[in-house]
């Protein structure tokens, strides 16, 4: 196929950004030009992987280092709310998050038309939870990437997005939907006014984006997908079985003790490292165990001192190169970590705090691929026992091996690249 231009526009978070990088790598290997439309704070991320990146302001312009810290500061300001149940986060974290997201769509409309006119992409791929009207007006095929839990595409028979409800707990489904719509209505009304200004039809209450009429790519793997009342049409919706990017090889460092002990990897994602007190509790518990641990502390390495000899910390780890070398992963439930653990067949202990982490924590337990542990209500003994359970549960291990084999045989990045080419 002649070279074409594919533009990716992920939201300003490492999960969606790095998922898009995986697909972009596959398209580039096929000889295509790939460009990224980026929040200014993330331009260097894409350039670091060798891609062309064009800034699109998603908020009031500010220095790039300040822009990169926006969501990190936003999350840190809500740490007290992470002790609350998902339904009790609607009135604080979720509401404020949607206010910022709607504001980002308004800001994008100022820059995006001009950027698209300069780049002239043949296909535009959006990994976000809100509509950017300029993409629809541009007149080229556009794909929606769903890098969060698959329940971002709603269905009456499955838990609502962000709820953390069990699959069959219909009372939980109803209560969450009712509360979400009640709180979100003023923000949604404002968003519909914005859509009208752009010549778009209003969305139903609670909806801020639509499925693409061309192609929708769900990074969720089929072995853990939900049973829907209305199955998704495979002509428009495709599961990618994870979409793991290629990273540079990484070697496990030596530890001063427990050199032969099982290896843990602990990460709460790019936005969760600010909860340093939680990470210190985990480090202290692991320090008294037979395990070794790699802990992602983000930009907060200075907050840690007197580390146990069986714990190593770093500001960032190349997860697709690290997870295959570990025995158990403790993470926040972000979809990157969720799918990477499944892809490499590693049991996960999910300690969620926001967004689809709640959904993925429930789902990993329901499907027998790991455990859901409350983020704060645990003792050293319960944490260490959960790790031992993951190490010793043969049924869980067997299920993970089967899921990993299924996902690896599908090659999500290659599948995505082929599907995107088909839009041409």
């Amino acid at each position: 196929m002649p070279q074409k231009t594919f533009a990716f526009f992920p939201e300003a978070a490492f999960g969606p950004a790095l998922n898009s990088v995986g697909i972009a790598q596959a398209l580039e290997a096929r000889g295509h030009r790939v460009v990224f439309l980026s929040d200014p704070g993330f331009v260097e991320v894409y350039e670091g992987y060798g891609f062309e990146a064009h800034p699109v302001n998603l908020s009031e312009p500010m220095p790039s280092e300040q822009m990169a810290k926006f969501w990190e500061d936003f999350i840190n300001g809500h740490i007290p709310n992470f002790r609350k149940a998902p339904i009790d986060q609607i009135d604080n974290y979720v509401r404020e998050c949607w206010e910022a997201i709607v504001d980002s769509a308004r800001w994008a409309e100022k820059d995006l038309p001009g950027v698209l006119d300069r780049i002239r992409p043949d296909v535009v791929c959006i990994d976000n939870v809100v509509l950017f009207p300029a993409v629809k007006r541009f007149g080229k095929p556009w794909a929606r990437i769903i890098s969060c839990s698959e329940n971002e595409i709603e269905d009456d028979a499955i838990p609502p997005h962000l709820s953390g409800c069990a699959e069959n707990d219909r009372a939980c489904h109803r209560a969450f939907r009712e509360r979400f719509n009640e709180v979100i209505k003023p923000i949604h009304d404002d968003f519909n006014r914005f859509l009208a200004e752009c010549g778009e039809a209003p969305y139903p209450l609670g909806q801020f984006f639509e499925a693409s009429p061309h192609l929708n790519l769900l990074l969720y793997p089929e072995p853990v997908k939900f049973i829907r009342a209305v199955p998704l049409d495979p002509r428009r919706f495709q599961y990618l079985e994870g979409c793991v990017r290629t990273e540079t090889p990484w070697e496990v460092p030596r530890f001063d003790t427990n050199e032969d002990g099982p290896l843990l990897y602990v990460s709460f994602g790019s936005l969760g490292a600010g909860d340093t007190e939680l990470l210190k509790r985990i480090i202290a518990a692991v320090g008294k165990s037979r395990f070794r641990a790699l802990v992602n502390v983000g930009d907060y390495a200075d907050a840690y001192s007197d580390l146990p000899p069986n714990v190593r910390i770093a500001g960032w780890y190349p997860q697709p190169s690290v997870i295959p070398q570990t025995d158990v992963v403790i993470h926040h439930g972000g979809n990157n970590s969720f799918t990477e653990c499944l892809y490499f067949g590693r049991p996960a202990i999910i300690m969620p705090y926001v967004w689809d982490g709640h959904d993925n924590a429930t789902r990993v337990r329901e499907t027998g691929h790991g455990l859901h542990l409350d983020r704060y209500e645990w003792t050293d003994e319960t944490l260490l026992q959960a790790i031992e359970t993951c190490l010793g549960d043969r049924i869980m291990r067997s299920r993970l091996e089967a899921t990993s084999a299924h996902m690896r045989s599908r090659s999500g990045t290659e599948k995505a690249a082929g599907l995107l080419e088909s839009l041409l």
Side-chain angles (χ1 to χ4, degrees):
M1 176 180 289
Q3 185 187 67
K4 299 293 183 180
T5 298
F6 292 83
F8 286 81
F9 193 5
E11 63 179 276
F14 277 95
L18 297 180
N19 281 324
S20 291
V21 164
I23 301 173
Q25 288 170 333
L27 284 166
E28 188 176 57
R30 292 174 178 232
H32 297 296
R33 175 190 178 216
V34 179
V35 302
F36 278 84
L37 315 179
S38 172
D39 176 281
F42 270 72
V43 166
E44 291 184 0
V45 173
Y46 306 117
E47 291 178 340
Y49 284 93
F51 292 107
E52 179 184 335
H54 299 261
V56 176
N57 282 309
L58 299 177
S59 63
E60 185 174 355
M62 60 186 77
S64 59
E65 63 275 9
Q66 185 179 346
M67 186 79 71
K69 295 280 288 182
F70 175 83
W71 282 109
E72 184 178 339
D73 293 342
F74 180 89
I75 290 290
N76 288 345
H78 279 283
I79 286 175
N81 292 318
F82 300 157
R83 294 180 177 273
K84 299 176 181 178
I87 194 169
D88 295 322
Q89 291 182 346
I90 295 174
D91 226 357
N92 40 80
Y93 169 79
V94 172
R95 175 179 54 78
E96 291 185 22
C97 204
W98 277 111
E99 287 173 344
I101 291 169
V102 168
D103 194 46
S104 75
R106 288 185 177 276
W107 273 100
E109 198 66 15
K110 302 175 189 291
D111 290 348
L112 191 54
V115 174
L116 290 171
D117 284 339
R118 288 198 308 273
I119 296 170
R120 307 305 298 171
D122 298 288
V123 175
V124 182
C125 306
I126 304 293
D127 189 346
N128 211 305
V129 295
V130 70
L131 175 69
F132 299 115
V135 172
K136 289 180 67 177
R137 291 199 310 272
F138 186 61
K140 294 290 186 178
W142 62 278
R144 179 177 176 183
I145 301 174
I146 296 94
S147 66
C148 289
S149 169
E150 70 152 322
N151 64 358
E152 190 178 302
I153 302 296
E154 285 269 351
D155 183 281
D156 288 343
I158 69 175
H161 192 223
L162 317 182
S163 69
C165 296
E167 183 174 19
N168 297 316
D169 188 349
R170 302 305 167 84
C172 183
H173 300 187
R174 287 193 299 272
F176 190 91
R177 284 193 174 100
E178 289 172 2
R179 182 63 180 151
F180 179 83
N181 286 340
E182 177 187 356
V183 171
I184 219 74
K185 188 177 186 305
I187 303 167
H188 193 268
D189 290 344
D190 179 54
F191 184 63
N192 273 343
R193 285 190 289 271
F194 163 66
L195 292 181
E197 294 167 6
C198 298
E200 294 288 336
Y203 281 158
L205 179 60
Q207 181 179 332
F208 291 87
F209 203 3
E210 63 192 80
S212 167
H214 308 286
L215 179 65
N216 301 272
L217 302 174
L218 297 96
L219 273 79
Y220 227 58
E222 288 198 0
V224 296
K225 73 178 184 180
F226 292 100
I227 300 174
R228 294 173 173 267
V230 181
L232 297 174
D233 184 349
R235 292 171 297 181
R236 292 176 56 213
F237 296 87
Q238 287 283 323
Y239 289 85
L240 295 183
E241 312 301 336
C243 212
V244 180
R245 70 191 183 278
T246 300
E247 279 287 0
T248 54
W250 189 86
E251 185 176 343
V252 176
R254 292 193 61 80
F255 291 79
D256 294 336
T257 60
N258 298 0
E259 189 60 31
D260 296 325
L263 181 62
L264 314 177
Y265 173 58
V266 182
S267 176
F268 294 141
S270 59
L271 299 179
D275 200 344
T276 55
E277 293 307 310
L278 173 61
L279 284 169
K280 287 178 181 179
R281 280 188 66 198
I282 294 173
I283 289 171
V286 172
K288 296 178 286 188
S289 76
R290 68 186 184 96
F291 311 124
R292 299 169 294 154
L294 303 166
V295 182
N296 179 0
V297 298
D299 295 331
Y300 300 89
D302 291 345
Y304 299 85
S305 60
D306 300 321
L307 291 170
N310 61 334
V311 173
R312 301 290 292 266
I313 66 173
W316 182 81
Y317 289 93
Q319 279 193 186
S321 297
V322 174
I323 289 177
Q325 303 182 72
T326 64
D327 297 291
V328 178
V329 179
I330 300 174
H331 67 88
H332 61 302
N335 213 44
N336 263 18
S337 300
F338 178 68
T339 56
E340 287 167 5
C341 287
L342 295 173
Y343 184 87
F344 293 113
R346 296 299 184 264
I349 298 172
I350 300 183
M351 304 170 72
Y353 60 104
V354 291
W355 216 248
D356 63 335
H358 297 303
D359 300 320
N360 287 333
T362 300
R363 200 64 182 152
V364 81
R365 182 190 66 225
E366 286 182 326
T367 60
H369 291 87
L371 302 178
H372 176 188
L373 191 64
D374 188 277
R375 191 166 175 85
Y376 299 103
E377 298 301 320
W378 51 270
T379 64
D380 292 1
E381 291 73 20
T382 56
L383 176 63
L384 298 180
Q385 184 54 55
I387 297 168
E388 296 287 4
T389 298
C390 287
L391 291 168
D393 190 326
R394 293 183 179 180
I395 295 175
M396 182 188 294
R397 288 281 178 175
S398 177
R399 184 175 291 113
L400 282 161
E401 288 174 7
T403 296
S404 175
H406 170 87
M407 293 174 70
R408 286 170 177 262
S409 70
R410 298 308 194 272
S411 185
T413 53
E414 283 297 318
K415 180 178 180 180
L419 288 166
L420 289 170
E421 279 187 332
S422 72
L423 294 180
L424 302 169

